[in-house]
Amino acid sequence: MSKKFLSLEKVEKRFPISANEDYVAVTDVNLEIRENEIIAIIGHSGCGKSTLLNMISGLDAQTSGAIVLENKHIDGPGPDRAVVFQNHSLLPWLSVYQNIEMAVKKVMPELSASELRERVERYVSMVNLDHAKDKLPDEISGGMKQRVGIARALSITPKVLLMDEPFGALDSLTRANLQEHLMRIQQKVKNTVVIITHDIDEAVLLSDRVIMMTNGPDATIGEILEVNLQRPRNRVELQSDPEYIRCREAILSFLYEKFAKDDE
Amino acid sequence: MNKELVKKIFLPLIVFILILQVWVGIASFVKDFPTPATTYVAAFGGINVDGDEISGVLSDPFYVNNQDDKGLFWQIIESLKRVFAGFVLAIIVGVPVGLLVGMSKNAQYALNPFIQIFKPVSPLAWLPLLLFIFQDINMTAISTIFITSIWPIIINTALGVKSVNEDYMNVAKVLRFTPLEKIIQIILPVSVPYIFTGMRLSLGIAWLVIVAAEMLTGGIGIGFWIWDEYNNLNYDNIIIGIIIVGLIGFILDVLMGRIADYFDYTKKGRA
């Protein structure tokens, strides 16, 4: 459990704003993520948490520092780090089935036609969408779309699953439902997951560790909180669990006392 | 019959009668100007003003007397052939160029000034130059249509490429799509409705231009036919020609619209 898996060393991201001035979005981020660990990154908007995730995914390059996955430096995106985007990013002209098939076909070209179909159908079932597999994204609900996004990301067996506020655009009941889906799937596939969120309950419920970011500019890791809760977790029982309450309070105090944001 | 349908039939009918009245009015002022009645006879045959029994240009549009004397049907076919040849060439060249301009900032910087300068030039301005190059009526007409059609196709294709959501491209990056896979699996499906909009515009303009081009080049074709009828003092036939050009243009536009809808993923459910 303590094997070196994904590490961020002195990671910094600057954006040039004029010829001789840079905006430092995040700086000096050092983090070791263990295999099969679920990490939540939380912070106020503008704390660079999405920037951090984009650097791990390789969609955005860090200005300095290193991001290393299993002894390999990350330079550019790849299917070993699948991303679940906030707005699902399904291709609207492809059905649920075809959206997943497109990803599997590209990443696992060696599969035979029957292996391919078997695999796509397995992941469609994993998110309970068998009944909707031939529907177009526009014909299904937002929560279902996001489930397809998760299935598509997992279908290529990534080493790390990166989720950028995956449930942020959903109503709270749908969000709870998807969190349950994610926890159930995670019990089975045991991926390493990095999830960006601004929801304290979501962070505690889902993760093994919560990374709390300070406010930007020059955002960095403020505190790291270990969540010592047994799995499977039950959201109703957790409400009275002392460890859950302790974690919630720790995050609350970090976000609203130490690093309160008064603008906006 | 429902009220809408009645309106859709009767309102145009009223306008049609008004147009006929204006036409009769003009014919009474301008000497030798055809009336609706003489034009009808010229089209479908009957007794003309001199009391002679004549056959109309639409009674036998399929006749072929010799190379230079063919029925109206063959004139139209000749024009359509030129339009489609030039149009297809413009698609073959314009879509890839549009993709390039849309995908590459450098290509955009390099080509955009020339697209903007050549786009507003009337294609007929090219015609003498093209006639000089090809010394051939057919090639001149086709290449004129090509130059006419290519600009809307390039511009709309590039616009389609630009409209590709960045999230889709991120999906492609994570899956490590090759440039060709990006084009086929993401850019084309998004751009196809835009490309067809460009094609529809192009075809409309091409049909406008072919009439004028054929008047200048001569030989055969509906545009030449109209000009020839002017030289023969058959003014009725000019009006017949105008109506036919309008009807064919309308049909082309409807067909193109149908094809565009067929390829537009936003307009069909795929059950």
Side-chain angles (χ1 to χ4, degrees):
Chain A
M1 186 73 179
S2 61
K3 165 183 159 202
K4 198 163 182 173
F5 182 66
L6 173 61
S7 59
L8 287 75
E9 291 152 25
K10 293 202 173 306
V11 171
E12 180 169 279
K13 180 70 185 176
R14 297 162 169 272
F15 296 99
I17 47 176
S18 69
N20 45 18
E21 204 186 347
D22 281 354
Y23 175 82
V24 183
V26 287
T27 186
D28 198 30
V29 173
N30 297 288
L31 181 63
E32 292 283 340
I33 297 172
R34 296 181 285 261
E35 195 166 6
N36 306 333
E37 190 178 26
I38 304 181
I39 291 279
I41 300 178
I42 196 165
H44 291 289
S45 56
C47 72
K49 52 192 194 293
S50 284
T51 308
L52 201 57
L53 194 86
N54 285 343
M55 289 190 288
I56 300 174
S57 71
L59 289 170
D60 214 345
Q62 70 270 24
T63 314
S64 65
I67 302 175
V68 182
L69 174 63
E70 287 193 323
N71 299 320
K72 265 191 280 186
H73 280 267
I74 286 169
D75 57 345
D80 54 344
R81 286 151 287 130
V83 185
V84 176
F85 299 93
Q86 175 168 9
N87 51 359
H88 65 76
S89 295
L90 301 179
L91 303 181
W93 54 90
L94 297 181
S95 69
V96 166
Y97 181 93
Q98 289 166 325
N99 261 288
I100 300 171
E101 182 189 49
M102 168 208 70
V104 177
K105 230 184 200 164
K106 172 62 188 167
V107 179
M108 301 166 184
E110 71 283 358
L111 293 186
S112 70
S114 62
E115 287 169 327
L116 175 71
R117 196 178 55 243
E118 188 272 328
R119 185 175 187 89
V120 175
E121 276 172 357
R122 178 146 47 92
Y123 282 90
V124 171
S125 304
M126 186 181 275
V127 291
N128 296 348
L129 283 173
D130 307 75
H131 61 288
K133 74 180 166 104
D134 294 321
K135 292 231 162 88
L136 290 173
D138 283 347
E139 298 167 342
I140 59 178
S141 70
M144 287 161 84
K145 282 182 216 174
Q146 204 51 281
R147 268 146 69 188
V148 182
I150 293 169
R152 181 176 65 184
L154 289 172
S155 68
I156 54 176
T157 48
K159 289 176 183 152
V160 187
L161 180 65
L162 303 170
M163 308 180 91
D164 188 0
E165 297 192 23
F167 314 135
L170 305 171
D171 67 82
S172 57
L173 289 178
T174 310
R175 188 186 308 170
N177 176 20
L178 276 168
Q179 289 162 349
E180 298 295 335
H181 266 286
L182 184 65
M183 286 195 289
R184 185 175 50 75
I185 293 166
Q186 187 54 29
Q187 284 293 108
K188 259 192 273 179
V189 297
K190 300 234 185 284
N191 262 89
T192 308
V193 182
V194 179
I195 179 166
I196 302 282
T197 181
H198 52 234
D199 182 327
I200 294 168
D201 289 299
E202 182 167 278
V204 180
L205 177 70
L206 296 179
S207 67
D208 301 317
R209 279 193 298 165
V210 180
I211 311 298
M212 290 175 259
M213 300 283 292
T214 64
N215 294 331
D218 302 310
T220 188
I221 295 175
E223 281 176 35
I224 297 181
L225 175 79
E226 296 269 352
V227 181
N228 296 310
L229 290 168
Q230 288 302 310
R231 291 178 192 273
R233 295 172 182 174
N234 177 312
R235 72 173 65 238
V236 181
E237 287 166 14
L238 284 181
Q239 296 305 319
S240 51
D241 190 305
E243 170 67 3
Y244 182 83
I245 294 166
R246 177 190 74 85
C247 291
R248 264 191 114 249
E249 279 173 356
I251 302 173
L252 272 169
S253 112
F254 178 89
L255 290 178
Y256 297 109
E257 285 166 11
K258 292 178 208 161
F259 288 95
K261 217 174 173 194
D262 44 22
D263 56 351
E264 290 178 310
Chain B
M1 249 200 288
N2 70 48
K3 241 179 166 173
E4 277 308 293
L5 195 64
V6 173
K7 281 186 191 169
K8 275 184 179 165
I9 292 170
F10 279 95
L11 293 179
L13 209 59
I14 293 167
V15 175
F16 179 66
I17 291 166
L18 282 174
I19 290 172
L20 286 182
Q21 289 306 314
V22 173
W23 182 358
V24 169
I26 294 170
S28 68
F29 280 108
V30 182
K31 191 174 170 304
D32 291 336
F33 197 89
T35 63
T38 61
T39 307
Y40 180 85
V41 172
F44 300 105
I47 310 293
N48 72 2
V49 279
D50 303 326
D52 297 331
E53 171 93 38
I54 60 160
S55 66
V57 285
L58 296 178
S59 341
D60 182 19
F62 303 106
Y63 80 87
V64 180
N65 271 351
N66 57 54
Q67 196 57 36
D68 297 320
D69 186 11
K70 290 183 181 174
L72 201 48
F73 175 79
W74 301 110
Q75 307 285 345
I76 294 166
I77 287 296
E78 214 51 46
S79 298
L80 284 174
K81 266 158 63 181
R82 288 166 178 161
V83 163
F84 279 108
F87 179 63
V88 168
L89 277 176
I91 293 168
I92 292 169
V93 178
V95 171
V97 173
L99 289 176
L100 189 69
V101 171
M103 288 168 73
S104 149
K105 263 253 154 20
N106 289 339
Q108 190 196 336
Y109 292 145
L111 295 176
N112 199 38
F114 305 99
I115 294 172
Q116 297 306 331
I117 289 170
F118 289 128
K119 184 186 62 166
V121 176
S122 166
L124 295 170
W126 291 92
L127 197 134
L129 200 62
L130 296 167
L131 196 56
F132 169 66
I133 295 171
F134 293 114
Q135 308 277 334
D136 174 86
I137 291 169
N138 230 355
M139 286 300 291
T140 303
I142 290 169
S143 48
T144 305
I145 295 304
F146 169 79
I147 292 176
T148 309
S149 308
I150 198 162
W151 310 116
I153 293 176
I154 292 178
I155 291 166
N156 280 281
T157 303
L159 194 70
V161 175
K162 291 229 156 82
S163 75
V164 174
N165 193 323
E166 203 184 341
D167 295 322
Y168 302 161
M169 294 317 282
N170 282 340
V171 172
K173 282 183 199 160
V174 168
L175 294 174
R176 291 220 180 107
F177 274 10
T178 62
L180 191 65
E181 285 171 328
K182 277 184 196 166
I183 292 176
I184 292 171
Q185 304 215 32
I186 298 192
I187 293 172
L188 274 180
V190 177
S191 319
V192 154
Y194 291 83
I195 295 172
F196 274 97
T197 302
M199 283 163 60
R200 197 172 173 179
L201 285 171
S202 286
L203 191 60
I205 307 168
W207 187 243
L208 286 179
V209 166
I210 193 68
V211 174
E214 286 170 347
M215 284 183 178
L216 293 167
T217 58
I220 190 170
I222 184 71
F224 167 73
W225 184 81
I226 292 174
W227 191 248
D228 202 38
E229 295 309 293
Y230 168 75
N231 287 331
N232 296 336
L233 312 179
N234 292 331
Y235 305 122
D236 322 78
N237 289 352
I238 297 175
I239 293 172
I240 295 165
I242 289 170
I243 294 168
I244 286 171
V245 168
L247 285 175
I248 291 170
F250 173 67
I251 291 166
L252 287 179
D253 191 58
V254 170
L255 284 179
M256 202 62 219
R258 288 277 165 83
I259 297 169
D261 285 354
Y262 180 80
F263 285 102
D264 187 343
Y265 72 87
T266 61
K267 287 195 182 143
K268 64 169 170 182
R270 161 201 309 248

